[in-house]
């Protein structure tokens, strides 16, 4: 499971011109899933993201978490995070999990993240053609792959 975490001042997701998610201070999380991902990956990753100290404290130092700032979150599925570009110029997405595996894991990730935050997490729509807008704050962008946790 791979996540691209962006600290945002605001972010939104639109599908066919309709805004389906909209936040202010918080995190935009792009989530890529592979067949080997498990509930253990979800538990580890949601806890890690919720507690990442990437928000500024009163002295302007990145020392507080999403939990500390009572921030909001949007989670967007993004199979392209597992693109392979080793051969040629056309990315291969063979490692990305198919919907029958990815959708339940994506939904479980969102539910577990809501438990970690103690509030509703907004989402895009799995498999939809989404337009994502964000104002990256910092900019702060962190990439976490659960395969690198050990």
């Amino acid at each position: 499971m791979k996540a691209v975490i962006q600290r945002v001042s605001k972010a939104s997701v639109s599908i066919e011109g309709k805004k389906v998610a909209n936040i202010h201070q918080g995190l935009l999380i792009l989530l890529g899933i592979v067949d080997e991902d498990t509930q253990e990956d979800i538990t580890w990753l949601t806890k890690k993201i919720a507690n990442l100290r990437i928000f500024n404290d009163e002295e302007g130092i990145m020392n507080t978490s999403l939990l500390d700032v009572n921030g909001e979150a949007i989670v967007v599925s993004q199979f392209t995070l597992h693109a392979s570009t080793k051969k040629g110029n056309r990315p291969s997405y063979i490692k990305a999990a198919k919907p029958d595996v990815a959708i339940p894991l994506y939904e479980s990730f969102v539910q577990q993240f809501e438990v970690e935050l103690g509030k509703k997490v907004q989402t895009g729509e799995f498999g939809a053609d989404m337009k994502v807008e964000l104002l990256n704050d910092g900019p702060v962008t962190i990439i976490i792959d659960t395969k690198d946790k050990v």
Side-chain angles (χ1 to χ4, degrees):
M1 193 167 286
K2 191 178 289 188
V4 174
I5 301 120
Q6 295 179 297
R7 185 179 79 180
V8 298
S9 298
K10 63 181 179 177
S12 65
V13 177
S14 297
I15 300 171
E16 295 179 4
K18 180 182 174 202
K19 202 171 277 191
V20 297
N22 188 40
I23 65 168
H24 291 92
Q25 180 186 32
L27 298 176
L28 173 65
I29 302 161
L30 305 175
L31 186 68
I33 298 168
V34 295
D35 287 333
E36 299 80 32
D37 289 328
T38 66
Q39 187 62 44
E40 181 182 317
D41 292 311
I42 290 167
T43 301
W44 182 85
L45 187 57
T46 55
K47 186 176 200 74
K48 176 65 88 173
I49 294 171
N51 290 286
L52 273 177
R53 296 181 348 189
I54 59 173
F55 290 88
N56 293 345
D57 63 15
E58 56 280 341
E59 295 175 18
I61 297 170
M62 285 196 293
N63 200 28
T64 59
S65 70
L66 185 63
L67 293 168
D68 297 327
V69 300
N70 196 28
E72 301 174 285
I74 297 177
V75 179
V76 175
S77 63
Q78 189 168 359
F79 72 93
T80 60
L81 292 180
H82 290 289
S84 173
T85 57
K86 288 182 180 179
K87 282 178 42 180
N89 293 317
R90 183 177 183 180
S92 168
Y93 304 107
I94 196 90
K95 288 182 67 178
K98 302 289 184 263
D100 62 318
V101 171
I103 291 171
L105 288 171
Y106 171 75
E107 290 172 349
S108 181
F109 178 91
V110 171
Q111 290 170 351
Q112 182 66 39
F113 200 54
E114 288 177 340
V115 169
E116 289 293 332
L117 296 182
K119 67 171 143 182
K120 181 86 173 126
V121 171
Q122 297 187 50
T123 65
E125 182 181 311
F126 192 96
D129 181 14
M130 296 175 272
K131 306 301 179 210
V132 179
E133 292 186 74
L134 69 133
L135 181 57
N136 192 316
D137 181 17
V140 175
T141 302
I142 308 288
I143 301 169
I144 301 176
D145 190 329
T146 59
K147 304 306 179 244
D148 298 334
K149 68 182 175 214
V150 180

